[in-house]
Amino acid sequence: MLTTVDKNDSDQTLEVRHYGTKENTYLLYNDDGISYDYERDKYSLTELKSSKNTKGELTGSFNSLKENNYSYSNIVWRWMTMQH
């Protein structure tokens, strides 16, 4: 189940689980999950990117495209598929 970010808690971590061996880019949208405040531009948008390093291993990065009270303070990546 997805949960929203608690805007009163400044230390929230999101774990991204990546399945597969391909590079990709994702957009993560988040708002309060309750109101229509997103209509007043109150949401966050984060780019999540998996890419291969010089050794061919997947690495994860993130870039905040739009910050608001609903942004995560930390994002960690978990690789669910064995890499060769």
Side-chain angles (χ1 to χ4, degrees), residues 10-29:
S10 63
D11 185 30
Q12 296 210 28
T13 299
L14 171 70
E15 180 180 286
V16 177
R17 294 183 179 187
H18 185 280
Y19 295 84
T21 57
K22 304 285 184 190
E23 298 175 302
N24 211 334
T25 301
Y26 314 89
L27 290 178
L28 173 65
Y29 169 90

PDB file of all heavy atoms in Angstrom, residues 10-29:
ATOM      1  N   SER A  10      10.116  15.636   9.091  1.00  0.00           N
ATOM      2  CA  SER A  10      11.151  16.077   8.151  1.00  0.00           C
ATOM      3  C   SER A  10      12.144  14.978   7.800  1.00  0.00           C
ATOM      4  O   SER A  10      13.040  15.190   7.000  1.00  0.00           O
ATOM      5  CB  SER A  10      11.900  17.276   8.740  1.00  0.00           C
ATOM      6  OG  SER A  10      12.554  16.883   9.925  1.00  0.00           O
ATOM      7  N   ASP A  11      12.014  13.796   8.391  1.00  0.00           N
ATOM      8  CA  ASP A  11      12.962  12.709   8.132  1.00  0.00           C
ATOM      9  C   ASP A  11      12.219  11.479   7.629  1.00  0.00           C
ATOM     10  O   ASP A  11      11.967  10.551   8.382  1.00  0.00           O
ATOM     11  CB  ASP A  11      13.743  12.394   9.405  1.00  0.00           C
ATOM     12  CG  ASP A  11      14.823  11.352   9.168  1.00  0.00           C
ATOM     13  OD1 ASP A  11      15.349  11.288   8.041  1.00  0.00           O
ATOM     14  OD2 ASP A  11      15.134  10.594  10.097  1.00  0.00           O
ATOM     15  N   GLN A  12      11.866  11.483   6.353  1.00  0.00           N
ATOM     16  CA  GLN A  12      11.146  10.355   5.773  1.00  0.00           C
ATOM     17  C   GLN A  12      11.952   9.754   4.634  1.00  0.00           C
ATOM     18  O   GLN A  12      12.453  10.469   3.775  1.00  0.00           O
ATOM     19  CB  GLN A  12       9.782  10.810   5.279  1.00  0.00           C
ATOM     20  CG  GLN A  12       8.928  11.268   6.426  1.00  0.00           C
ATOM     21  CD  GLN A  12       7.468  11.047   6.164  1.00  0.00           C
ATOM     22  OE1 GLN A  12       7.082  10.152   5.425  1.00  0.00           O
ATOM     23  NE2 GLN A  12       6.644  11.848   6.775  1.00  0.00           N
ATOM     24  N   THR A  13      12.063   8.430   4.653  1.00  0.00           N
ATOM     25  CA  THR A  13      12.844   7.714   3.651  1.00  0.00           C
ATOM     26  C   THR A  13      11.923   6.895   2.764  1.00  0.00           C
ATOM     27  O   THR A  13      10.994   6.247   3.231  1.00  0.00           O
ATOM     28  CB  THR A  13      13.867   6.779   4.341  1.00  0.00           C
ATOM     29  OG1 THR A  13      14.746   7.569   5.133  1.00  0.00           O
ATOM     30  CG2 THR A  13      14.672   5.999   3.329  1.00  0.00           C
ATOM     31  N   LEU A  14      12.206   6.921   1.476  1.00  0.00           N
ATOM     32  CA  LEU A  14      11.499   6.101   0.503  1.00  0.00           C
ATOM     33  C   LEU A  14      12.458   5.029   0.011  1.00  0.00           C
ATOM     34  O   LEU A  14      13.596   5.323  -0.338  1.00  0.00           O
ATOM     35  CB  LEU A  14      11.037   6.947  -0.690  1.00  0.00           C
ATOM     36  CG  LEU A  14      10.462   6.170  -1.875  1.00  0.00           C
ATOM     37  CD1 LEU A  14       9.113   5.559  -1.504  1.00  0.00           C
ATOM     38  CD2 LEU A  14      10.329   7.067  -3.087  1.00  0.00           C
ATOM     39  N   GLU A  15      12.025   3.777   0.004  1.00  0.00           N
ATOM     40  CA  GLU A  15      12.818   2.692  -0.571  1.00  0.00           C
ATOM     41  C   GLU A  15      12.272   2.372  -1.950  1.00  0.00           C
ATOM     42  O   GLU A  15      11.097   2.057  -2.106  1.00  0.00           O
ATOM     43  CB  GLU A  15      12.748   1.446   0.312  1.00  0.00           C
ATOM     44  CG  GLU A  15      13.550   0.300  -0.258  1.00  0.00           C
ATOM     45  CD  GLU A  15      13.485  -0.940   0.611  1.00  0.00           C
ATOM     46  OE1 GLU A  15      14.135  -0.946   1.674  1.00  0.00           O
ATOM     47  OE2 GLU A  15      12.769  -1.890   0.235  1.00  0.00           O
ATOM     48  N   VAL A  16      13.134   2.474  -2.960  1.00  0.00           N
ATOM     49  CA  VAL A  16      12.766   2.152  -4.337  1.00  0.00           C
ATOM     50  C   VAL A  16      13.293   0.763  -4.639  1.00  0.00           C
ATOM     51  O   VAL A  16      14.495   0.516  -4.515  1.00  0.00           O
ATOM     52  CB  VAL A  16      13.369   3.168  -5.333  1.00  0.00           C
ATOM     53  CG1 VAL A  16      13.034   2.772  -6.766  1.00  0.00           C
ATOM     54  CG2 VAL A  16      12.881   4.573  -5.027  1.00  0.00           C
ATOM     55  N   ARG A  17      12.419  -0.145  -5.005  1.00  0.00           N
ATOM     56  CA  ARG A  17      12.833  -1.504  -5.368  1.00  0.00           C
ATOM     57  C   ARG A  17      12.813  -1.624  -6.882  1.00  0.00           C
ATOM     58  O   ARG A  17      11.778  -1.438  -7.510  1.00  0.00           O
ATOM     59  CB  ARG A  17      11.910  -2.533  -4.734  1.00  0.00           C
ATOM     60  CG  ARG A  17      12.023  -2.531  -3.229  1.00  0.00           C
ATOM     61  CD  ARG A  17      11.180  -3.583  -2.607  1.00  0.00           C
ATOM     62  NE  ARG A  17      11.343  -3.541  -1.172  1.00  0.00           N
ATOM     63  CZ  ARG A  17      10.830  -4.430  -0.360  1.00  0.00           C
ATOM     64  NH1 ARG A  17      10.126  -5.439  -0.843  1.00  0.00           N
ATOM     65  NH2 ARG A  17      11.031  -4.326   0.936  1.00  0.00           N
ATOM     66  N   HIS A  18      13.965  -1.932  -7.438  1.00  0.00           N
ATOM     67  CA  HIS A  18      14.113  -2.014  -8.892  1.00  0.00           C
ATOM     68  C   HIS A  18      14.239  -3.475  -9.292  1.00  0.00           C
ATOM     69  O   HIS A  18      15.115  -4.182  -8.807  1.00  0.00           O
ATOM     70  CB  HIS A  18      15.356  -1.241  -9.325  1.00  0.00           C
ATOM     71  CG  HIS A  18      15.529  -1.165 -10.804  1.00  0.00           C
ATOM     72  ND1 HIS A  18      16.053  -2.200 -11.537  1.00  0.00           N
ATOM     73  CD2 HIS A  18      15.229  -0.185 -11.687  1.00  0.00           C
ATOM     74  CE1 HIS A  18      16.083  -1.851 -12.812  1.00  0.00           C
ATOM     75  NE2 HIS A  18      15.581  -0.632 -12.928  1.00  0.00           N
ATOM     76  N   TYR A  19      13.352  -3.920 -10.164  1.00  0.00           N
ATOM     77  CA  TYR A  19      13.364  -5.289 -10.684  1.00  0.00           C
ATOM     78  C   TYR A  19      13.833  -5.243 -12.132  1.00  0.00           C
ATOM     79  O   TYR A  19      13.361  -4.430 -12.908  1.00  0.00           O
ATOM     80  CB  TYR A  19      11.968  -5.914 -10.606  1.00  0.00           C
ATOM     81  CG  TYR A  19      11.481  -6.107  -9.200  1.00  0.00           C
ATOM     82  CD1 TYR A  19      10.868  -5.067  -8.511  1.00  0.00           C
ATOM     83  CD2 TYR A  19      11.640  -7.317  -8.555  1.00  0.00           C
ATOM     84  CE1 TYR A  19      10.418  -5.238  -7.214  1.00  0.00           C
ATOM     85  CE2 TYR A  19      11.193  -7.499  -7.255  1.00  0.00           C
ATOM     86  CZ  TYR A  19      10.586  -6.456  -6.596  1.00  0.00           C
ATOM     87  OH  TYR A  19      10.142  -6.629  -5.307  1.00  0.00           O
ATOM     88  N   GLY A  20      14.750  -6.111 -12.490  1.00  0.00           N
ATOM     89  CA  GLY A  20      15.239  -6.158 -13.859  1.00  0.00           C
ATOM     90  C   GLY A  20      16.657  -5.619 -13.960  1.00  0.00           C
ATOM     91  O   GLY A  20      17.304  -5.299 -12.962  1.00  0.00           O
ATOM     92  N   THR A  21      17.145  -5.533 -15.191  1.00  0.00           N
ATOM     93  CA  THR A  21      18.531  -5.121 -15.412  1.00  0.00           C
ATOM     94  C   THR A  21      18.643  -3.946 -16.382  1.00  0.00           C
ATOM     95  O   THR A  21      19.735  -3.595 -16.797  1.00  0.00           O
ATOM     96  CB  THR A  21      19.347  -6.297 -15.976  1.00  0.00           C
ATOM     97  OG1 THR A  21      18.729  -6.750 -17.192  1.00  0.00           O
ATOM     98  CG2 THR A  21      19.411  -7.447 -14.984  1.00  0.00           C
ATOM     99  N   LYS A  22      17.537  -3.338 -16.735  1.00  0.00           N
ATOM    100  CA  LYS A  22      17.528  -2.236 -17.703  1.00  0.00           C
ATOM    101  C   LYS A  22      17.565  -0.884 -17.001  1.00  0.00           C
ATOM    102  O   LYS A  22      17.035  -0.716 -15.903  1.00  0.00           O
ATOM    103  CB  LYS A  22      16.279  -2.296 -18.580  1.00  0.00           C
ATOM    104  CG  LYS A  22      16.086  -3.585 -19.318  1.00  0.00           C
ATOM    105  CD  LYS A  22      17.035  -3.685 -20.475  1.00  0.00           C
ATOM    106  CE  LYS A  22      16.732  -4.950 -21.258  1.00  0.00           C
ATOM    107  NZ  LYS A  22      17.679  -5.272 -22.238  1.00  0.00           N
ATOM    108  N   GLU A  23      18.177   0.074 -17.689  1.00  0.00           N
ATOM    109  CA  GLU A  23      18.154   1.455 -17.223  1.00  0.00           C
ATOM    110  C   GLU A  23      16.767   2.038 -17.511  1.00  0.00           C
ATOM    111  O   GLU A  23      16.118   1.649 -18.477  1.00  0.00           O
ATOM    112  CB  GLU A  23      19.205   2.287 -17.960  1.00  0.00           C
ATOM    113  CG  GLU A  23      20.614   1.811 -17.735  1.00  0.00           C
ATOM    114  CD  GLU A  23      21.609   2.582 -18.582  1.00  0.00           C
ATOM    115  OE1 GLU A  23      21.467   2.567 -19.813  1.00  0.00           O
ATOM    116  OE2 GLU A  23      22.507   3.188 -17.985  1.00  0.00           O
ATOM    117  N   ASN A  24      16.356   2.971 -16.663  1.00  0.00           N
ATOM    118  CA  ASN A  24      15.060   3.592 -16.890  1.00  0.00           C
ATOM    119  C   ASN A  24      14.943   4.857 -16.054  1.00  0.00           C
ATOM    120  O   ASN A  24      15.720   5.081 -15.137  1.00  0.00           O
ATOM    121  CB  ASN A  24      13.918   2.635 -16.551  1.00  0.00           C
ATOM    122  CG  ASN A  24      12.700   2.880 -17.425  1.00  0.00           C
ATOM    123  OD1 ASN A  24      12.481   3.973 -17.929  1.00  0.00           O
ATOM    124  ND2 ASN A  24      11.902   1.834 -17.598  1.00  0.00           N
ATOM    125  N   THR A  25      13.945   5.667 -16.387  1.00  0.00           N
ATOM    126  CA  THR A  25      13.636   6.878 -15.636  1.00  0.00           C
ATOM    127  C   THR A  25      12.156   6.866 -15.288  1.00  0.00           C
ATOM    128  O   THR A  25      11.316   6.506 -16.113  1.00  0.00           O
ATOM    129  CB  THR A  25      13.966   8.134 -16.479  1.00  0.00           C
ATOM    130  OG1 THR A  25      15.350   8.102 -16.814  1.00  0.00           O
ATOM    131  CG2 THR A  25      13.684   9.405 -15.699  1.00  0.00           C
ATOM    132  N   TYR A  26      11.845   7.249 -14.061  1.00  0.00           N
ATOM    133  CA  TYR A  26      10.483   7.232 -13.559  1.00  0.00           C
ATOM    134  C   TYR A  26      10.177   8.600 -12.955  1.00  0.00           C
ATOM    135  O   TYR A  26      11.079   9.297 -12.493  1.00  0.00           O
ATOM    136  CB  TYR A  26      10.305   6.177 -12.459  1.00  0.00           C
ATOM    137  CG  TYR A  26      10.901   4.845 -12.794  1.00  0.00           C
ATOM    138  CD1 TYR A  26      12.230   4.550 -12.482  1.00  0.00           C
ATOM    139  CD2 TYR A  26      10.140   3.874 -13.428  1.00  0.00           C
ATOM    140  CE1 TYR A  26      12.774   3.322 -12.799  1.00  0.00           C
ATOM    141  CE2 TYR A  26      10.690   2.635 -13.741  1.00  0.00           C
ATOM    142  CZ  TYR A  26      12.008   2.370 -13.422  1.00  0.00           C
ATOM    143  OH  TYR A  26      12.555   1.155 -13.735  1.00  0.00           O
ATOM    144  N   LEU A  27       8.918   8.964 -12.911  1.00  0.00           N
ATOM    145  CA  LEU A  27       8.496  10.173 -12.221  1.00  0.00           C
ATOM    146  C   LEU A  27       7.649   9.772 -11.019  1.00  0.00           C
ATOM    147  O   LEU A  27       6.708   8.979 -11.144  1.00  0.00           O
ATOM    148  CB  LEU A  27       7.679  11.087 -13.139  1.00  0.00           C
ATOM    149  CG  LEU A  27       8.458  11.758 -14.250  1.00  0.00           C
ATOM    150  CD1 LEU A  27       7.521  12.602 -15.120  1.00  0.00           C
ATOM    151  CD2 LEU A  27       9.570  12.634 -13.692  1.00  0.00           C
ATOM    152  N   LEU A  28       7.998  10.299  -9.858  1.00  0.00           N
ATOM    153  CA  LEU A  28       7.276  10.039  -8.618  1.00  0.00           C
ATOM    154  C   LEU A  28       6.490  11.290  -8.249  1.00  0.00           C
ATOM    155  O   LEU A  28       7.063  12.351  -8.019  1.00  0.00           O
ATOM    156  CB  LEU A  28       8.253   9.689  -7.494  1.00  0.00           C
ATOM    157  CG  LEU A  28       7.660   9.559  -6.097  1.00  0.00           C
ATOM    158  CD1 LEU A  28       6.690   8.390  -6.030  1.00  0.00           C
ATOM    159  CD2 LEU A  28       8.762   9.409  -5.070  1.00  0.00           C
ATOM    160  N   TYR A  29       5.180  11.165  -8.222  1.00  0.00           N
ATOM    161  CA  TYR A  29       4.282  12.253  -7.843  1.00  0.00           C
ATOM    162  C   TYR A  29       3.800  11.992  -6.432  1.00  0.00           C
ATOM    163  O   TYR A  29       3.491  10.857  -6.068  1.00  0.00           O
ATOM    164  CB  TYR A  29       3.091  12.287  -8.808  1.00  0.00           C
ATOM    165  CG  TYR A  29       1.975  13.197  -8.347  1.00  0.00           C
ATOM    166  CD1 TYR A  29       1.958  14.528  -8.713  1.00  0.00           C
ATOM    167  CD2 TYR A  29       0.957  12.717  -7.533  1.00  0.00           C
ATOM    168  CE1 TYR A  29       0.941  15.369  -8.284  1.00  0.00           C
ATOM    169  CE2 TYR A  29      -0.060  13.544  -7.102  1.00  0.00           C
ATOM    170  CZ  TYR A  29      -0.067  14.863  -7.471  1.00  0.00           C
ATOM    171  OH  TYR A  29      -1.062  15.692  -7.051  1.00  0.00           O
TER     172      TYR A  29
END
